[in-house]
Amino acid sequence: MSKITFNNKQSLFYATLKKNVDQYFSSKEIKKTGNWALYSKTVILIPATILIYVLLLTVSMPAVLAIFLSAVVGALLASIGFNVMHDACHGSYSSKKWMNNLLGHSLNALGGNAFLWKQKHNIIHHTYTNIEGADDDISMTKLLRQSPTQKWSPIHRFQHIYLPFVYSMTIFMWVGFSDYNRYFTKKINNTPLQSMDAGEHIIFWISKVLYMLFYVVIPILCVGWQAWLVGYVTMGIVVSVILAYTFQLAHSVEGPEFDSVGIDDKMIDSEWAIHQVKTTANFAPKNKLVNWFVGGLNYQVEHHLFPRISHIHYPAISHIVERTCKQFNLPYHSFRTVTESIVSHTLTMKKLGQKPVTAI
């Protein structure tokens, strides 16, 4: 991959913003990491998931109820990822490193791998947001054209229609293919993967074996393969759709910009912080239920500017961020509701699916 650098001549914006945010925390005399509001989510979400999992395997119940509870498990797994894993992998769950490392591995329990995800998300996505050829989040599959510079195919004309189906496959592809592909190719998209030490190799394989044991083998032994298949697919579709839409609503909507990597070294016109503001959007910022469930990821602008601040604080600092953006004549993309954001995402994908003028 060609080298990408950012223009640092406009760094006054981030310096001003950081100063204002730091003043907020010092005036409130609070830490930037999580607090009881985050910890309470942990003690609700994880035990609730385990309880329903056990009930599904040990209690005889009507099929409709079992399918419903499987869907609930999918929603809970997504919320654990948003709230617990996400903050922990960013080092913002706790001021204690061991606690962040421990809870970051909750991703392994969901089927992913914390080591790979930190490089894909923390390093690549948060640095090269919406830069095609670098940002893996806009390179999900060739079935989708997620950037104006990506190769167009005739099937893309209909991508806004089959989008939910592709998104419903997210966790199945992630767990069954993507992690293994990154592991063996030692690359994430076009970016070389950092070396894994012996411990990370062991964690990778043990967690993958445990995933098969707890999500496939044990359920089949307890309820039979047919009931397991229905429940597993239901759970997987729910968690997939929630994960995919939540992350795509942050960048692939009307407003945020796109860029691309060529064969030569690339200089981004804006500094890193301004690039984040220009390529990111919030959604449903005033909806407390959405904010609770998605772990503050509806405040993506704040998250991209301050990934090491716990999402618990995003509603409070969002006013500072929006005010500072206006001060420097920068966009502050935000959609009032989830529905409004989904519509914008669908329209964006429809537009990207149209044949470009330069396409042959």
Side-chain angles (χ1 to χ4, degrees):
M1 187 184 79
S2 58
K3 182 180 179 181
I4 305 173
T5 54
F6 291 91
N7 184 348
N8 290 317
K9 293 181 179 180
Q10 306 172 54
S11 58
L12 181 60
F13 163 69
Y14 192 63
T16 302
L17 178 60
K18 187 175 184 302
K19 178 182 177 182
N20 293 339
V21 170
D22 287 343
Q23 285 179 343
Y24 165 79
F25 283 98
S26 60
S27 67
K28 295 290 184 178
E29 297 183 341
I30 56 177
K31 295 181 179 180
K32 295 180 180 180
T33 49
N35 54 28
W36 66 269
L38 174 54
Y39 307 150
S40 65
K41 293 185 184 185
T42 308
V43 299
I44 292 172
L45 292 169
I46 294 178
T49 305
I50 295 173
L51 175 61
I52 297 176
Y53 172 84
V54 172
L55 289 176
L56 283 168
L57 300 188
T58 60
V59 177
S60 178
M61 62 183 73
V64 173
L65 179 58
I67 292 172
F68 171 76
L69 290 179
S70 296
V72 171
V73 169
L76 288 172
L77 291 176
S79 195
I80 291 171
F82 294 145
N83 287 280
V84 182
M85 178 281 291
H86 192 256
D87 270 33
C89 282
H90 273 293
S92 63
Y93 184 96
S94 170
S95 58
K96 297 178 176 60
K97 185 177 180 179
W98 68 266
M99 179 66 75
N100 290 319
N101 288 335
L102 175 64
L103 292 177
H105 282 99
S106 61
L107 176 60
N108 295 53
L110 305 182
N113 179 268
F115 178 86
L116 296 176
W117 191 86
K118 285 178 182 179
Q119 294 193 48
K120 165 186 161 57
H121 183 80
N122 294 12
I123 299 175
I124 300 173
H125 172 65
H126 271 266
T127 303
Y128 309 118
T129 311
N130 270 21
I131 300 179
E132 197 273 321
D135 186 0
D136 193 57
D137 280 16
I138 56 172
S139 300
M140 290 179 63
T141 169
K142 291 183 179 180
L143 287 173
L144 299 178
R145 185 170 184 259
Q146 296 176 274
S147 169
T149 57
Q150 286 177 342
K151 183 179 179 180
W152 179 85
S153 296
I155 193 175
H156 292 147
R157 295 182 191 272
F158 310 102
Q159 67 177 11
H160 62 290
I161 298 174
Y162 61 73
L163 194 63
F165 171 76
V166 175
Y167 285 175
S168 71
M169 296 294 104
T170 300
I171 197 69
F172 304 111
M173 291 299 296
W174 184 355
V175 173
F177 174 74
S178 298
D179 271 356
Y180 292 105
N181 182 57
R182 292 161 186 155
Y183 181 86
F184 287 112
T185 63
K186 299 181 181 179
K187 289 196 308 181
I188 296 178
N189 199 354
N190 296 317
T191 304
L193 187 67
Q194 293 180 9
S195 298
M196 300 176 74
D197 60 28
E200 291 297 344
H201 283 289
I202 293 172
I203 290 173
F204 178 89
W205 287 109
I206 288 180
S207 61
K208 291 300 183 183
V209 170
L210 289 177
Y211 179 86
M212 289 297 296
L213 179 65
F214 284 100
Y215 285 80
V216 181
V217 177
I218 293 177
I220 289 177
L221 292 176
C222 290
V223 301
W225 74 268
Q226 291 176 316
W228 161 79
L229 183 61
V230 173
Y232 181 73
V233 170
T234 300
M235 176 201 72
I237 290 175
V238 171
V239 68
S240 294
V241 170
I242 293 174
L243 288 176
Y245 271 104
T246 298
F247 284 109
Q248 291 302 317
L249 295 185
H251 307 288
S252 297
V253 288
E254 296 164 305
E257 301 175 1
F258 292 88
D259 209 322
S260 64
V261 177
I263 59 175
D264 301 318
D265 289 353
K266 177 83 173 181
M267 166 64 80
I268 304 298
D269 293 334
S270 303
E271 64 160 306
W272 171 84
I274 292 178
H275 177 78
Q276 299 306 311
V277 169
K278 289 182 176 180
T279 57
T280 308
N282 291 348
F283 63 90
K286 294 184 179 180
N287 190 318
K288 293 183 178 180
L289 178 60
V290 169
N291 182 65
W292 191 95
F293 179 77
V294 303
L297 291 179
N298 53 325
Y299 287 95
Q300 282 282 345
V301 176
E302 288 68 29
H303 173 60
H304 270 258
L305 290 168
F306 299 101
R308 292 188 67 83
I309 293 179
S310 173
H311 75 267
I312 292 297
H313 307 293
Y314 291 160
I317 69 172
S318 66
H319 306 293
I320 301 173
V321 175
E322 183 175 11
R323 183 171 63 247
T324 308
C325 284
K326 289 181 179 179
Q327 178 185 343
F328 285 85
N329 295 315
L330 292 171
Y332 183 80
H333 304 297
S334 184
F335 295 87
R336 293 175 301 169
T337 65
V338 173
T339 301
E340 186 178 298
S341 188
I342 290 177
V343 169
S344 181
H345 174 58
T346 304
L347 290 174
T348 297
M349 294 301 291
K350 182 178 181 180
K351 182 178 179 180
L352 289 171
Q354 301 307 303
K355 183 178 181 179
V357 176
T358 56
I360 299 176

